[in-house]
Amino acid sequence: MSHDPYAIRPGERAVTLPDRVDAHLVFIGRIHTPFTMRAECPRQGRQDGPLCRIEIDAPWREGLKGLEGFAQAEVLYWMHQARRDLVLQSPKHNGETMGTFALRSPVRPNPISTSRVAIVAIGEGWVDVRGLDCLDGTPLIDLKPEHCAFSPPRN
Amino acid sequence: MSHDPYAIRPGERAVTLPDRVDAHLVFIGRIHTPFTMRAECPRQGRQDGPLCRIEIDAPWREGLKGLEGFAQAEVLYWMHQARRDLVLQSPKHNGETMGTFALRSPVRPNPISTSRVAIVAIGEGWVDVRGLDCLDGTPLIDLKPEHCAFSPPRN
């Protein structure tokens, strides 16, 4: 049975993306997960989910110094297979039409996903975590201590 | 007393950014806050902080449909004044040198900040929130229901 993941569902609306580049990203590594097809990805990661490895590219590896002091991290990654032009979406699981900003779908003008993960182990240029939901090979954008865990000094 | 916010502090290390563009962002709106200088920005937003307005550009306004069903949102924004090349940083408040990925500093290879905000009101193309920490005029990248509030169906 063929299935086009890019097909527009009833109620969905596509808009014309501005012909403009406002900022650029540099991928800083890759994420390795057991999910090799979109249909296998959970709708949201769980901290009792499978072990995943975040690999940091060589120039940025020193940036991990001190991360071992945190139990949880926030991971930002690029949903490279997602379309960017839907402003209304009808998720498959219920068919209800919602605005893109009322969903955590990968389909959005800037297809960046964020996950809160449990840090399991850290090595030279890698971090093993649980809580991701993305395809194997997903480009990494950022990694930082999770809000809750990070207690800034009083301002 | 003059102060260069871009000066490198003891222990900090800059790397050469790759001469490469891996993805591009389109700003989808602006954030209005009472903070007009970097020194006024709190180190992290608090949900009892000042009221801020997120303005969504016209093409994307329909994307807010359904957001009224959530009490909290996650906001992604571009730290347009931050340098991107530090892999080790010595935050001013304690002088300890840490890796960039062990900090929530705006200085990072992809200077995207995330905040968890309380939704106060939603109108045509705007959302009033509390919990932001950024400069007035900061470019908006994304807005979505907060992880905790968002309960995906079982996979």
Side-chain angles (χ1 to χ4, degrees):
Chain A
M1 208 166 70
S2 85
H3 167 64
D4 174 7
Y6 297 98
I8 294 212
R9 301 195 186 104
E12 294 193 332
R13 185 165 312 153
V15 297
T16 304
L17 283 169
D19 182 20
R20 206 178 70 212
V21 172
D22 292 321
H24 75 271
L25 299 179
V26 174
F27 297 153
I28 60 168
R30 293 271 157 189
I31 298 175
H32 297 288
T33 73
F35 314 120
T36 57
M37 287 166 41
R38 285 159 54 124
E40 294 168 9
C41 296
R43 208 166 276 114
Q44 188 170 350
R46 296 166 51 113
Q47 294 199 353
D48 58 0
L51 199 64
C52 301
R53 176 160 289 193
I54 297 171
E55 281 191 357
I56 310 284
D57 290 343
W60 304 109
R61 288 183 183 164
E62 267 192 315
L64 294 177
K65 178 181 150 68
L67 189 63
E68 67 280 0
F70 297 92
Q72 298 211 332
E74 189 181 8
V75 187
L76 279 71
Y77 41 102
W78 187 252
M79 303 306 278
H80 56 306
Q81 296 199 6
R83 60 186 293 165
R84 303 177 65 163
D85 61 346
L86 294 189
V87 67
L88 292 176
Q89 300 182 48
S90 309
K92 196 167 45 175
H93 63 271
N94 64 8
E96 193 186 348
T97 299
M98 298 277 274
T100 290
F101 307 128
L103 294 167
R104 292 186 61 90
S105 155
V107 173
R108 42 211 323 120
N110 295 300
I112 297 170
S113 279
T114 70
S115 281
R116 190 181 300 164
V117 299
I119 298 175
V120 175
I122 303 181
E124 280 294 310
W126 55 264
V127 186
D128 281 352
V129 304
R130 294 184 194 274
L132 289 169
D133 55 9
C134 57
L135 283 173
D136 186 45
T138 294
L140 179 68
I141 298 174
D142 202 5
L143 176 65
K144 44 189 145 201
E146 214 281 320
H147 299 88
C148 303
F150 185 72
S151 300
R154 289 176 66 86
N155 289 290
Chain B
M1 206 167 72
S2 84
H3 167 63
D4 174 7
Y6 298 97
I8 293 212
R9 301 195 184 104
E12 293 192 333
R13 185 166 312 153
V15 297
T16 304
L17 283 170
D19 183 19
R20 207 178 68 211
V21 172
D22 292 321
H24 76 271
L25 299 181
V26 174
F27 298 153
I28 59 167
R30 293 271 158 189
I31 298 175
H32 296 288
T33 74
F35 314 122
T36 57
M37 287 166 40
R38 285 158 54 122
E40 293 168 7
C41 296
R43 209 166 273 113
Q44 188 171 347
R46 297 165 51 112
Q47 294 200 352
D48 58 359
L51 199 65
C52 300
R53 176 161 289 193
I54 298 173
E55 281 191 356
I56 310 284
D57 290 342
W60 305 109
R61 288 183 183 164
E62 266 193 313
L64 294 177
K65 178 181 150 67
L67 190 62
E68 68 279 1
F70 298 92
Q72 298 213 331
E74 189 180 9
V75 186
L76 279 71
Y77 41 103
W78 187 253
M79 304 307 278
H80 57 306
Q81 295 199 7
R83 61 186 294 164
R84 302 176 66 163
D85 60 347
L86 294 189
V87 66
L88 292 175
Q89 301 182 47
S90 310
K92 197 167 44 177
H93 63 271
N94 63 9
E96 193 185 346
T97 299
M98 298 277 274
T100 289
F101 307 127
L103 294 167
R104 292 187 61 90
S105 155
V107 173
R108 42 211 325 118
N110 295 300
I112 297 170
S113 280
T114 70
S115 281
R116 189 181 303 164
V117 299
I119 297 175
V120 176
I122 303 181
E124 280 293 311
W126 55 264
V127 185
D128 281 352
V129 304
R130 294 183 194 275
L132 289 169
D133 55 8
C134 58
L135 282 174
D136 186 45
T138 294
L140 178 69
I141 298 173
D142 202 4
L143 176 65
K144 45 189 144 199
E146 214 281 320
H147 299 89
C148 303
F150 185 73
S151 301
R154 289 176 66 89
N155 289 288

